[in-house]
Amino acid sequence: MTEVRSSMAGTVFMISVEPGYVVQPGDVVVVLESMKMEIPIEAIEGGTVTEVRVQPGEVVQEDDVLLVLK
Amino acid sequence: MMFSRILVANRGEIACRIIRACQALGIETVAVFSEADNGAPHVAMADDAYLVGPPPANQSYLNVDRIIEVAHRSGAQAVHPGYGFLAENAGFARRCRDEGLTFIGPPAETIAAMGQKIEARRLMSAAGVPVVPGSNSAMPEDADPLPLVELLGFPVLVKASGGGGGIGMRIVSTPEQLAVAVRNTRALAQRSFGHPSVYVERLIERPRHVEVQVFADAQGNVVHLFERECSVQRRYQKVIEEAPSPAVDVHLREALTAAAVHAIKAVGYVNAGTVECLLSGRSEFYFLEMNTRLQVEHAITEAITGIDIVQAQIKIAAGELLPWSQDEIHATGHAVECRVYAEDPNTFLPSPGRITAYREPSAPGVRVDSGTAEGSEMTVFYDPLIAKVITWGEDRCQAIDRMAQALQEFAIEGVKTNIPLHLRVLRDPRFGAGDYDTGIVARLGHSLG
C-alpha cells in the first residue's frame, strides 16, 4: 500500500482518478491550486487506486494523504 | 457627479493602490476582506471595512451578493474591482448597473465581448487590426480540424475561447496530436469556463509580448499612453515589465498605438483598457487579447507619463471627459517593474507562510506598491504577489541599475521570494541589450542547471 501525499498546502482543484483506476509512476492524479497556481501531484509509484481521501474544493496541508494505492 | 464613497472590491496591493487614488481625490473608501485578511493593510487604510466571508475567494472576494449588499449598506456609489477577482466579470458589472452602482470599468457588454476570445478576434479583424492567423469561429464539434490547421501550418496553439493568462491553451506540433488536444481543451473549457468553444491559432515562436495602454471616455474620445514590454514571463504570467519597449522603434510605435486606438474605437470602449499584442521576430504585430481592466503593471506607464491611471479611471467613470488630448501625453525616461512573488526562484512553486520581517527599499526613482507588512500571511487562497517594485530612470540603464539596487535592499523573511530570479534576469547580457523574448526565463533557468 502506498499513499500519495500533498507536496504543499493548497486547495484540491481536480482529481483525475477514482477507486479502481490503475496508475503508472509519474501520472498526474490530483491537481492542487495554491496561490492561483495549478500544482500537479504525480503518483511516485504505480498501482490501483483503493481510496480517494479528498474532494475538489477541500483545503489540504503539506504532506496530507490525498489517495491510497495498492 | 464625482463620487463621495467608493467600495474597493479587491485585496492586497491593488486595493491599497486604489484607496490612495481615492484619498487623493477626497473620496472615502470602503474595503472588503475575507477572514484570512482581517487586519490587512488595505483594511487599515480604508475609511470603512466589511467582512465578506471565509478565506476561499469564491466565498468572499467573488461573493457578488455579499459585496453588493455591503456597497448599499456602506453608502458607496461606485465599485472599483481592481484586477483579477470580479474585474472582468460581465455579470458583476451588469449587476452593479442594475443596482444603481457605478462599475469603474467598461460597460458589461464590452467586458463580455472581449472575454470571449473568438468574438474579440472577430471584432478586431473586422476593424482591420491584424490578428494571429487562425480560425475565425469556434471549431465545429464534429468536423475534422486538420484541413484548417494544415493551411495554418504546424505548430499551432489550441485555445479555449473563454480562457486567458495561459489557461486552456495547448501547443500542437504534429497532426497526430491534434484531435486529442482539441478534445481535451474542449473538456477543460467546459469545466473551467462553462463553455466548450475552442479555436486554433498559428504558434508565433519566440514572440515578444507588447501591450498598449488605452483610455476612452463616454463621449468617444480615445488616447493611448504608449506601450509596455511584458516578455519576461513564467508559466505565461508576467514577472518583469518595462516601458517603453526596447523592441519598438518610432515607426512600429506609431503603427501599434494607431491600431490599438482604432481597435477600442471599433468596440465603443470606455475607461482604461489594454490591447495586448504579440510581436514576431520580424517586427510584425498581432492582436492577442484585450484586457478590460486596470493592469498589474499600470505603474510603469504612470512612471513615464506622470499620469495617475487610477484617478483617471475614477474621473471617467464619474462621467468626466478625458483630462488630456493625445498631444498632451508625453513619455519621459524609462521604467521597469518587478513583481515580487512568494515563490521559489528556481522551481516557481508557491511559498506560502508568514512574513516575519519586511523592509521596503526607498531611493530616488523607486516606488513600491504593496499590500504586505511584517506579520502578513501569504496564504494559499490568493495570488503570491508580495509587492511590485517600480523604478524610473532617465534611460533604461539607470532604471535597471536602480531596480537591481532596490531589490538587493528589499528585506523579506519568512517566505521564499523570486528576487534572485529578478536579479538573474536584470544581470543577463541579453536582457541588458533589450534583446529578449518570452523564452528568457526558461533560458536563464536552464543555464543555471
Side-chain angles (χ1 to χ4, degrees):
Chain A
M1 191 186 87
T2 52
E3 294 166 331
V4 177
R5 288 171 184 268
S6 171
S7 57
M8 65 177 312
T11 307
V12 177
F13 177 65
M14 202 178 82
I15 301 165
S16 37
V17 296
E18 288 172 22
Y21 275 46
V22 177
V23 300
Q24 307 293 326
D27 281 358
V28 173
V29 289
V30 172
V31 179
L32 297 181
E33 187 190 329
S34 184
M35 298 179 125
K36 305 263 304 177
M37 214 177 276
E38 287 178 28
I39 315 288
I41 305 294
E42 298 174 359
I44 297 164
E45 295 170 41
T48 304
V49 178
T50 57
E51 202 187 333
V52 178
R53 295 226 183 135
V54 290
Q55 294 179 349
E58 193 174 327
V59 178
V60 296
Q61 301 302 320
E62 185 176 343
D63 216 34
D64 278 1
V65 177
L66 304 175
L67 45 97
V68 182
L69 304 176
K70 196 174 70 177
Chain B
M1 206 180 66
M2 186 45 81
F3 315 110
S4 59
R5 219 160 209 248
I6 291 177
L7 181 138
V8 181
N10 215 301
R11 62 179 300 281
E13 68 86 19
I14 199 62
C16 296
R17 166 74 189 91
I18 296 162
I19 292 170
R20 272 191 203 98
C22 292
Q23 287 170 345
L25 292 170
I27 300 168
E28 290 184 343
T29 51
V30 180
V32 292
F33 64 100
S34 75
E35 285 163 12
D37 282 334
N38 202 347
H42 79 279
V43 176
M45 278 176 73
D47 296 294
D48 208 351
Y50 290 80
L51 177 67
V52 287
N58 57 8
Q59 297 170 49
S60 50
Y61 296 104
L62 295 172
N63 184 345
V64 171
D65 288 337
R66 175 72 182 135
I67 288 170
I68 296 284
E69 181 201 325
V70 166
H72 286 315
R73 182 126 62 92
S74 64
Q77 301 108 20
V79 177
H80 198 308
Y83 55 69
F85 296 127
L86 297 167
E88 286 172 290
N89 183 323
F92 179 67
R94 203 171 293 124
R95 180 76 188 276
C96 285
R97 188 169 59 199
D98 294 346
E99 300 271 349
L101 296 160
T102 302
F103 176 85
I104 301 177
E109 294 70 25
T110 315
I111 299 175
M114 293 296 123
Q116 283 302 320
K117 306 303 171 198
I118 295 173
E119 176 67 359
R121 275 174 63 84
R122 195 188 60 74
L123 286 168
M124 290 303 131
S125 194
V129 177
V131 298
V132 180
S135 46
N136 292 321
S137 55
M139 310 259 284
E141 195 120 0
D142 37 14
D144 182 4
L146 191 58
L148 168 70
V149 173
E150 279 182 326
L151 278 177
L152 296 171
F154 285 97
V156 292
L157 272 176
V158 177
K159 291 177 148 184
S161 184
I167 299 170
M169 210 157 97
R170 268 159 233 264
I171 296 174
V172 178
S173 309
T174 65
E176 296 73 48
Q177 303 167 332
L178 184 65
V180 175
V182 169
R183 199 163 59 233
N184 287 349
T185 308
R186 209 185 284 286
L188 179 131
Q190 177 70 57
R191 205 166 54 232
S192 304
F193 314 116
H195 203 283
S197 295
V198 300
Y199 65 107
V200 291
E201 270 180 11
R202 182 187 292 158
L203 178 71
I204 308 289
E205 295 193 70
R206 303 178 67 79
R208 296 182 75 126
H209 185 129
V210 175
E211 62 188 26
V212 180
Q213 175 73 55
V214 287
F215 244 112
D217 63 26
Q219 272 64 46
N221 301 304
V222 178
V223 294
H224 69 81
L225 273 61
F226 307 102
E227 82 282 356
R228 294 182 287 257
E229 163 80 55
C230 308
S231 299
V232 182
Q233 305 184 351
R234 57 109 179 88
R235 299 166 184 266
Y236 298 107
Q237 295 261 329
K238 297 162 190 170
V239 183
I240 301 179
E241 303 93 351
E242 59 177 313
S245 165
V248 174
D249 64 17
V250 178
H251 302 291
L252 182 55
R253 180 165 302 122
E254 210 154 283
L256 200 56
T257 54
V261 165
H262 194 61
I264 75 158
K265 277 187 177 160
V267 298
Y269 199 85
V270 181
N271 217 306
T274 296
V275 179
E276 294 198 334
C277 295
L278 288 180
L279 208 58
S280 76
R282 293 187 301 279
S283 290
E284 293 155 325
F285 67 90
Y286 303 100
F287 169 80
L288 186 61
E289 62 181 53
M290 171 129 194
N291 293 320
T292 53
R293 55 169 165 84
L294 183 65
Q295 297 280 99
V296 178
E297 60 274 21
H298 72 277
I300 54 174
T301 298
E302 296 185 325
I304 60 165
T305 60
I307 285 172
D308 188 314
I309 291 176
V310 182
Q311 286 188 30
Q313 279 191 300
I314 295 168
K315 289 178 185 168
I316 287 166
E320 292 185 15
L321 294 176
L322 277 179
W324 352 264
S325 66
Q326 191 67 60
D327 301 344
E328 292 168 327
I329 301 169
H330 303 285
T332 312
H334 199 96
V336 180
E337 172 180 275
C338 287
R339 301 188 188 188
V340 178
Y341 288 130
E343 71 177 27
D344 187 297
N346 297 308
T347 62
F348 312 136
L349 283 178
S351 175
R354 182 176 293 274
I355 294 186
T356 53
Y358 183 81
R359 200 176 57 250
E360 291 176 357
S362 171
V366 178
R367 164 177 169 183
V368 180
D369 276 18
S370 158
T372 310
E374 200 161 291
S376 288
E377 189 80 39
M378 300 304 296
T379 77
V380 298
F381 301 106
Y382 314 119
D383 77 29
L385 187 63
I386 298 172
K388 304 183 310 203
V389 181
I390 302 103
T391 58
W392 179 90
E394 285 171 28
D395 56 25
R396 187 169 183 265
C397 190
Q398 188 183 37
I400 293 172
D401 286 348
R402 282 176 165 175
M403 179 61 78
Q405 184 67 30
L407 290 179
Q408 286 172 83
E409 288 172 15
F410 203 164
I412 303 168
E413 285 169 35
V415 296
K416 289 183 196 167
T417 81
N418 64 344
I419 286 178
L421 171 72
H422 284 303
L423 293 173
R424 224 180 283 156
V425 175
L426 295 173
R427 288 171 182 147
D428 176 61
R430 283 187 49 194
F431 180 81
D435 172 26
Y436 63 96
D437 54 57
T438 48
I440 184 170
V441 172
R443 179 170 61 79
L444 286 173
H446 287 312
S447 68
L448 276 167

